[in-house]
Amino acid sequence: MNTLFVPSIGLDVSLLTRLADSIDYPIKYKSVVNNGPHGALQEFNRSHPDWIVHEPSGNMGVAGSWNGCADFYPQEPAWLIMNEDAWFLPGQLETICKFSDQH
């Protein structure tokens, strides 16, 4: 699995930061779509420059954001879509990715 995608409203960057900092397995595309105020994730993007921050012109909503993942990364066979308030325990992301790649 090469794509991790997170819809966000950008109001509590600490949650997204906790998720990003819990990644202990290589992921090619790490992206967040900001459905909150424009520019709300600038601080996050400065501290995590390997993440792509998508800023649509309006709030896509959670379902629209999920669908947006497929629009942003159509070449990828699978995507892991997470809430910004989730995080990985050590080794958990590797297990998820290997399972996904096998199935």
Side-chain angles (χ1 to χ4, degrees):
M1 179 171 323
N2 289 323
T3 306
L4 173 64
F5 193 79
V6 182
S8 175
I9 56 172
L11 299 179
D12 188 350
V13 177
S14 68
L15 296 175
L16 186 56
T17 299
R18 180 181 62 184
L19 169 60
D21 291 346
S22 74
I23 294 173
D24 61 356
Y25 189 76
I27 299 290
K28 184 175 181 179
Y29 302 109
K30 296 176 289 247
S31 296
V32 58
V33 61
N34 178 20
N35 286 312
H38 191 75
L41 298 178
Q42 288 178 349
E43 174 188 333
F44 172 79
N45 203 213
R46 280 192 297 275
S47 64
H48 294 83
D50 57 329
W51 280 68
I52 299 164
V53 176
H54 301 278
E55 294 214 289
S57 59
N59 187 333
M60 296 173 65
V62 71
S65 296
W66 294 338
N67 292 334
C69 179
D71 293 337
F72 294 133
Y73 302 101
Q75 75 282 7
E76 296 302 318
W79 313 279
L80 179 57
I81 300 173
M82 302 284 297
N83 289 340
E84 64 187 332
D85 62 347
W87 68 94
F88 300 103
L89 297 174
Q92 192 175 35
L93 181 57
E94 179 179 8
T95 299
I96 293 167
C97 289
K98 287 183 176 180
F99 180 85
S100 175
D101 291 344
Q102 292 173 0
H103 300 282

